[in-house]
Amino acid sequence: MKLLVPLMMAFALLLTPSCQSASKNDKKSQENDNRQETAKADLPQDLSEYDTAYFASGCFWCVEAIFESVRGVAEVVSGYAGGMEENPTYEAVSYGRTTHAEAVKVYYDKEKVSFQELVQVFFGSHDPTTLNRQGPDRGPQYRSIAFYQNESEKAFIEQYIKALEANKVYDQPIVTEVEPLEKFYKAEEYHQDYEHKNPDNSYIRNVSIPRLNRFKENFPGYLKEKSGSANH
């Protein structure tokens, strides 16, 4: 198995806004998103024929945008998973008041991209060695989790982690959790396609877009056609 070179996640932590703080200061953006979502609802997409995969690797605004850029991915939904509480809200999750993590549900065409390749995208687009943290976002709600839905998926994730460690791809131990997908809760509508809808948001400009562009530069073979750098 050919290992992918991991991305070097280099954020200016003390100067960069967090996913949580950026959202709380963007009331107008949320209102605009709600209006846009009403229009979007008129164009439903049938996703029943696609396979699904679930991952958590920091702020879901960033993670959603990365997987949306991958060939074979039809849709990505931001939400919450990995915890015990029912019907979690963004306020509760983002302030660490639940055991959930911000996560994404990836709908993909297995004829164009495999689950194994999505796992490679997952590990290649974040730092799996930082415990309860990605960039400026800190807390267990931003922990790294690779979810599995069957034993085959679990086996591949575990084998891939062993290969990364055996080849000393990272200087520190991988802390990614490998967990069964129990329940995924879709996040509030204004979080869906957040990066695309809010290009001028300070967190999007300083963290999310640079993270997406690093992924695109390092993994051009995984991208959809005409999926260049996101300059916004």
Side-chain angles (χ1 to χ4, degrees), residues 12-117:
L13 300 180
L14 298 179
L15 301 177
T16 306
S18 70
C19 178
Q20 182 273 327
S21 62
S23 179
K24 295 305 177 187
N25 295 325
D26 205 3
K27 299 293 185 181
K28 291 183 179 180
S29 175
Q30 294 176 15
E31 294 172 358
N32 290 336
D33 288 347
N34 289 335
R35 288 195 292 270
Q36 292 178 28
E37 188 60 37
T38 299
K40 182 178 178 180
D42 295 332
L43 299 172
Q45 183 178 6
D46 182 9
L47 299 170
S48 62
E49 298 300 317
Y50 292 94
D51 286 274
T52 56
Y54 300 82
F55 303 99
S57 57
C59 177
F60 50 23
W61 299 341
C62 302
V63 186
E64 178 186 21
I66 287 170
F67 278 99
E68 286 274 16
S69 73
V70 175
R71 56 175 167 74
V73 171
E75 182 63 277
V76 182
V77 177
S78 288
Y80 316 109
M84 299 178 292
E85 299 80 6
E86 295 184 356
N87 303 312
T89 65
Y90 180 70
E91 182 175 0
V93 175
S94 65
Y95 279 107
R97 296 171 184 163
T98 76
T99 53
H100 287 287
E102 292 191 10
V104 296
K105 179 178 184 179
V106 181
Y107 290 90
Y108 67 99
D109 181 350
K110 63 182 179 182
E111 299 299 323
K112 297 179 180 179
V113 64
S114 66
F115 176 79
Q116 289 80 5
E117 289 175 310

Side-chain angles (χ1 to χ4, degrees), residues 115 147-157 180-181:
F115 176 79
F147 295 98
Y148 62 87
Q149 299 176 79
N150 54 57
E151 290 302 311
S152 176
E153 291 182 351
K154 178 183 180 182
F156 178 79
I157 296 168
L181 190 281

